[in-house]
Amino acid sequence: MRKQLVLEDGTVLTGEGFGSDRTRFAEVVFNTGMTGYQEVISDPSYCAQFVCFTYPLIGNYGINRDDFETVNPAIAGVIVKEHCEHPSNFRSEETLDEFLKAKDIPGIAGVDTRKLTKLIRRNGTMKAMITSVDESIDHVLRQIESTELAKDQVKHVSTVKPYVVPGRGQRIVLVDYGMKHGILRELTKRSCHITVVPYHTTAEEIIRLKPDAIMLSNGPGDPKDVPEAIDTIRQLIGTVPILGICLGHQLIALACGADTVKMKFGHRGNNQPVKDLRTGRTYITSQNHGYAVDHTSIDHTALELTQVSLNDQTVEGLSHTDYAVRTYQYHPESSPGPQDTEHLFDEFLDLLATEPRKLKEVESCHSVKI
């Protein structure tokens, strides 16, 4: 079946359809990773997005049971130069086409992904639709113009109910804004006792779980679309150590009085260089975000800049000057990507041994200095 990708600026790219035949509307972004397409497709942070893979061949090692980052992918669609119909890998259990059909996710192949990536880099991320070539371009463009991107993406990818992943080590409350399973893997590897809670869990409910630390996960969309999370984090700062990853990093910044901005085309890939300002070391990191903390907005907060992107100098790490709060814009759990920064989980858990567990009454948290 022939399909077309129609962008809001009027650009039309045609190709062969695979996966689901459904018509979808979403924001189109690009990912620069050479491997890890299964993890990307199943990453909840890609909720309501079409992902253009810059690597020209996708699907060559199939889909396996082990590399998922969530059970039900939230990605809107897949755009590739070529998709492999006959994968070759000892772990492969089904083709990319079969998987996308099962999950009702449309794909389009034969697209000039190099051209599309250049368009996004020049014009920024855009709204788009994947449809049949039989659809009128004018009609599709009117639909794109009249449709707004969803603002409740975190609600759709967060867990509905709390659940426990038992362990004998530190007790961690993990707030799920669209959590990748890689975060759970890193914590369970370190024997943590993990309680995963929904994004709207209150500060009082979290404190009642008597955690040794709180971790705020990655997730999709604009952090300002989750105001209840910002208020909760503001109350939690100063109670127990907190670690924020990706969206969690941005939410902590907002809770502390900083600001966030939408990036032109974001960082999405497994090859993003980040410099640690404290040690001078550079790490290659896995990233997936379309928003960033405004560098200038940090100045009048209790946050200290600890890491920056070497590509564009955007904020990659923050530390609270008064409390045990650490944040990272990238993904130390990788999945997919380099494992340069896995040690950050160990450093955070080591921090718990030196930081007293305060567990203040939540009612008094409004007076916490931020």
Side-chain angles (χ1 to χ4, degrees), residues 69-143:
E69 289 301 318
T70 191
V71 174
N72 294 307
I75 192 172
V78 174
I79 304 164
V80 301
K81 173 64 177 174
E82 178 183 354
H83 90 280
C84 181
E85 299 182 44
H86 304 287
S88 177
N89 187 277
F90 73 97
R91 294 198 302 158
S92 177
E93 297 178 328
E94 62 181 332
T95 67
L96 176 60
D97 178 49
E98 291 169 338
F99 174 73
L100 294 183
K101 278 185 169 69
K103 295 299 182 179
D104 200 22
I105 300 169
I108 181 170
V111 170
D112 187 343
T113 51
R114 181 179 175 88
K115 175 182 178 180
L116 177 57
T117 300
K118 286 184 173 181
L119 279 172
I120 297 171
R121 285 184 60 87
R122 183 171 69 242
N123 301 330
T125 55
M126 289 179 277
K127 296 188 293 183
M129 288 189 74
I130 293 178
T131 72
S132 164
V133 292
D134 298 329
E135 288 283 343
S136 162
I137 301 300
D138 289 338
H139 174 67
V140 173
L141 285 173
R142 286 194 296 271
Q143 285 185 286

Side-chain angles (χ1 to χ4, degrees), residues 32-254:
T32 58
M34 295 178 66
T35 61
Y37 57 81
Q38 181 173 334
E39 293 93 330
V40 169
I41 290 170
S42 60
D43 181 349
S45 293
Y46 283 108
C47 180
Q49 290 181 328
F50 296 140
V51 176
C52 169
F53 287 93
T54 62
Y55 192 70
L57 178 62
I58 299 296
N60 54 311
Y61 54 86
I63 299 291
N64 65 73
R65 69 175 189 175
D66 299 323
D67 291 342
F68 289 109
E69 289 301 318
T70 191
V71 174
N72 294 307
I75 192 172
V78 174
I79 304 164
V80 301
K81 173 64 177 174
E82 178 183 354
H83 90 280
C84 181
E85 299 182 44
H86 304 287
S88 177
N89 187 277
F90 73 97
R91 294 198 302 158
S92 177
E93 297 178 328
E94 62 181 332
T95 67
L96 176 60
D97 178 49
E98 291 169 338
F99 174 73
L100 294 183
K101 278 185 169 69
K103 295 299 182 179
D104 200 22
I105 300 169
I108 181 170
V111 170
D112 187 343
T113 51
R114 181 179 175 88
K115 175 182 178 180
L116 177 57
T117 300
K118 286 184 173 181
L119 279 172
I120 297 171
R121 285 184 60 87
R122 183 171 69 242
N123 301 330
T125 55
M126 289 179 277
K127 296 188 293 183
M129 288 189 74
I130 293 178
T131 72
S132 164
V133 292
D134 298 329
E135 288 283 343
S136 162
I137 301 300
D138 289 338
H139 174 67
V140 173
L141 285 173
R142 286 194 296 271
Q143 285 185 286
I144 292 173
E145 183 179 2
S146 62
T147 307
E148 295 297 323
L149 296 170
K151 294 185 179 297
D152 58 352
Q153 297 171 21
V154 169
K155 177 182 178 180
H156 287 288
V157 295
S158 175
T159 184
V160 177
K161 296 181 179 179
Y163 62 92
V164 172
V165 181
R168 296 293 186 181
Q170 301 280 9
R171 300 180 67 88
I172 308 295
V173 169
L174 176 52
V175 184
D176 179 9
Y177 302 116
M179 173 198 67
K180 292 171 61 182
H181 287 173
I183 296 175
L184 280 180
R185 285 192 290 269
E186 290 303 318
L187 292 176
T188 55
K189 187 191 303 183
R190 292 161 174 82
S191 301
C192 294
H193 179 94
I194 310 155
T195 304
V196 182
V197 299
Y199 76 99
H200 52 67
T201 306
T202 67
E204 182 179 5
E205 290 170 331
I206 291 173
I207 290 302
R208 283 185 178 276
L209 295 171
K210 301 294 190 292
D212 295 312
I214 299 165
M215 187 168 293
L216 310 177
S217 83
N218 63 291
D222 185 345
K224 294 177 183 176
D225 289 340
V226 203
E228 60 270 51
I230 298 169
D231 183 59
T232 295
I233 295 166
R234 186 177 292 121
Q235 296 179 58
L236 290 171
I237 290 175
T239 58
V240 294
I242 302 175
L243 174 63
I245 294 174
C246 199
L247 182 63
H249 153 88
Q250 298 164 10
L251 290 170
I252 288 174
L254 290 171

